[in-house]
């Protein structure tokens, strides 16, 4: 492998290409003979088919596509999301663009591209305003993704559902460091600087070793966890399983820890919501500037960090209650105006 993409990225691209080739096999079309008609068939199937990962095994589970009444967070729809369709189209387009450089495959890329988008993004300076452009044919309209932070009251309930010191330390480190799920799970003992209150993680995108902060409370929980189970072997993550021989805690095991707690609370929070929670708390702290928050979150663009400064309707419940209970102001007029004149001009008030 000569590229610098992560194994998870390659795995995701491989699954999308496998879906494309299965469609070509079903249509009895060779990959080098594919046209836009096969892309239309792919998009049409993705827009109508049901995603098998959205199946609910529990009888009392909320239907797919509804809104969780506890958190107000929508559940994923039963079909394939627009982002999944767009990602699949990008993968197929890149696959054929790569082979066109070597003179293989069809002369025309079967996935249409937008010339307006290419012209809008060509030679664009980061300080220039965003120029809107038309989507390419077959590209779905992707809704803007709003961050979902866990309210303080629900955070206290969620934290209270943690069964052991390891789980409490894990959640405290997540919500104080704003690290991504896979990044924090790779944290080793040699990556923790107890004196400075920070740790070092491998970034998801650049694969660079970058620092993240830890609160004193999170470090206290982490120290209690290590004192309880002992120090891990050198070069291994600090987060380990509790049953059987100690093994590194995987992403799926960490996700199941949170799922057990949310099922008892009737919520649908995810591991990535912990990063949203930390980012929202940092962005709304008057003592931190937006550039400083960007540095903590390790965002490439300041516009991504600015998304966490938006105020949702759930955050305005108390202010709206005060607004509705506030009496309407009474009209008053200066003394030099006669009451009969005001009545004749403005009527009753």
């Amino acid at each position: 492998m000569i590229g610098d993409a992560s194994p998870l990225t390659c795995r995701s691209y491989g699954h999308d290409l496998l879906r494309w080739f299965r469609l070509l096999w079903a249509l009895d079309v060779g990959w080098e003979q594919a046209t836009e008609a096969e892309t239309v068939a792919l998009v049409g199937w993705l827009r109508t088919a049901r995603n098998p990962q959205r199946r609910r095994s529990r009888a009392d589970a909320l239907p797919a596509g509804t809104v969780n009444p506890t958190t107000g967070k929508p559940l994923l729809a039963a079909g394939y999301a627009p982002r999944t369709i767009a990602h699949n189209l990008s993968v197929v387009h890149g696959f054929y663009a790569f082979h066109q450089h070597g003179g293989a495959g069809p002369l025309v890329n079967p996935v249409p591209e937008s010339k307006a988008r290419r012209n809008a993004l060509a030679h664009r300076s980061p300080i220039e305003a965003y120029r809107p452009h038309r989507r390419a044919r077959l590209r779905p309209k992707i809704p803007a993704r709003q961050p979902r932070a866990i309210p303080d009251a629900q955070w206290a309930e969620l934290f209270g559902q943690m069964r052991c010191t390891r789980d409490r330390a894990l959640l405290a480190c997540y919500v104080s460091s704003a690290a991504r799920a896979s990044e924090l799970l790779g944290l080793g003992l040699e990556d923790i600087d107890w004196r400075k209150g920070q740790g070092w993680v491998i970034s998801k995108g650049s694969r660079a070793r970058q620092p993240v902060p830890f609160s004193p409370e999170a470090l206290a929980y982490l120290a209690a966890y290590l004192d309880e189970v002992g120090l891990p072997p050198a070069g291994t993550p600090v987060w380990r399983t509790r049953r059987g021989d100690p093994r590194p805690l995987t992403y799926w095991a960490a996700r199941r820890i949170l799922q057990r707690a949310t099922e008892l609370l009737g919520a649908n929070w995810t591991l990535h919501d912990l990063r949203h929670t930390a980012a929202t708390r940092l962005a709304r702290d008057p003592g931190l500037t937006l550039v400083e928050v960007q540095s903590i979150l390790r965002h490439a663009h300041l516009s991504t960090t600015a998304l966490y400064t938006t105020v949702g309707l759930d955050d305005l419940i108390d202010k709206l209650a005060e607004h509705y209970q506030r009496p309407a102001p009474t009209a008053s007029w200066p003394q030099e105006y006669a009451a009969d004149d005001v009545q004749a001009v403005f009527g009753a008030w």
Side-chain angles (χ1 to χ4, degrees):
M1 177 177 167
I2 60 175
D4 58 353
S6 69
L8 291 178
T9 301
C10 296
R11 180 176 180 270
S12 173
Y13 277 50
H15 280 298
D16 284 344
L17 284 178
L18 179 60
R19 184 185 294 124
W20 169 251
F21 273 90
R22 282 175 174 172
L23 175 72
L24 296 180
W25 296 334
L27 299 177
D28 196 18
V29 176
W31 73 271
E32 69 281 356
Q33 299 172 343
T35 63
E36 187 176 334
E38 283 70 41
T39 307
V40 172
L42 174 67
V43 174
W45 180 80
L46 288 174
R47 288 183 176 178
T48 56
R50 295 180 65 87
N51 191 336
Q53 296 184 0
R54 304 290 180 264
R55 295 173 183 171
R56 301 294 184 268
S57 57
R58 294 179 52 184
D60 58 344
L62 294 173
T66 58
V67 177
N68 187 285
T70 302
T71 63
K73 180 182 175 183
L75 301 176
L76 294 175
Y80 290 90
R83 291 184 181 274
T84 303
I85 301 175
H87 186 271
N88 207 150
L89 291 177
S90 298
V91 170
V92 176
H93 182 276
F95 172 77
Y96 282 98
F98 172 80
H99 283 284
Q100 282 178 346
H101 284 289
L107 295 178
V108 179
N109 199 312
V111 179
E113 61 177 347
S114 173
K115 295 183 179 179
R117 178 180 183 273
R118 185 173 56 188
N119 295 334
L121 299 181
H123 309 292
R124 175 180 174 268
S125 172
I127 63 176
E128 293 180 3
Y130 173 79
R131 290 184 294 171
H133 52 77
R134 293 180 61 87
R135 290 178 284 126
R137 293 193 309 275
L138 306 180
R139 289 277 178 172
K141 184 177 181 180
I142 300 177
R145 182 181 296 175
Q146 297 297 331
R148 298 290 306 184
I150 306 176
D152 293 341
Q154 295 192 29
W155 163 254
E157 295 177 352
L158 179 63
F159 194 81
Q161 291 293 333
M162 296 297 104
R163 300 180 177 181
C164 59
T165 309
R166 181 203 63 184
D167 298 348
R168 287 188 285 270
L170 187 63
L171 249 67
C173 289
Y174 267 128
V175 83
S176 65
S177 66
R180 298 176 180 89
S182 58
E183 295 174 346
L184 188 62
L185 292 177
L187 183 74
L189 190 61
E190 63 279 2
D191 297 324
I192 306 174
D193 191 332
W194 300 90
R195 181 177 59 85
K196 291 185 178 180
Q198 69 179 23
W200 296 83
V201 298
I202 303 299
S203 177
K204 175 185 175 183
S206 63
R207 311 304 299 170
R209 193 167 181 263
Q210 297 178 332
V212 294
F214 288 125
S215 67
E217 181 185 13
L219 290 177
Y221 279 114
L222 181 56
Y225 162 62
L226 295 176
D227 182 66
E228 179 181 301
V229 301
L231 300 180
T236 61
V238 298
W239 312 107
R240 292 168 287 172
T241 58
R242 299 176 60 227
R243 295 185 177 89
D245 296 333
R247 303 182 306 277
L249 194 68
T250 63
Y251 170 81
W252 306 106
R255 189 178 76 160
R256 186 55 191 157
I257 293 173
L258 194 64
Q259 282 180 342
R260 282 196 298 263
T262 54
E263 287 173 359
L264 295 175
L265 299 173
N268 61 335
W269 301 117
T270 63
L271 286 175
H272 199 66
D273 291 333
L274 300 177
R275 175 173 167 85
H276 287 327
T277 302
T280 303
R281 292 179 178 180
L282 293 171
R284 296 181 181 178
D285 189 340
L288 294 173
T289 65
L290 200 59
V291 176
E292 292 170 343
V293 177
Q294 179 193 11
S295 177
I296 297 173
L297 298 178
R298 295 168 287 126
H299 284 157
H301 302 284
L302 190 62
S303 58
T304 306
T305 311
L307 294 176
Y308 296 96
T309 60
T310 58
V311 180
L313 188 60
D314 295 339
D315 304 319
L316 301 175
I317 292 179
D318 295 337
K319 291 186 177 180
L320 287 175
E322 295 178 0
H323 167 73
Y324 295 138
Q325 295 176 1
R326 191 177 300 120
T330 57
S332 61
W333 307 97
Q335 296 292 335
E336 56 268 20
Y337 291 105
D340 296 340
D341 296 338
V342 174
Q343 176 70 23
V345 174
F346 297 101
W349 68 87

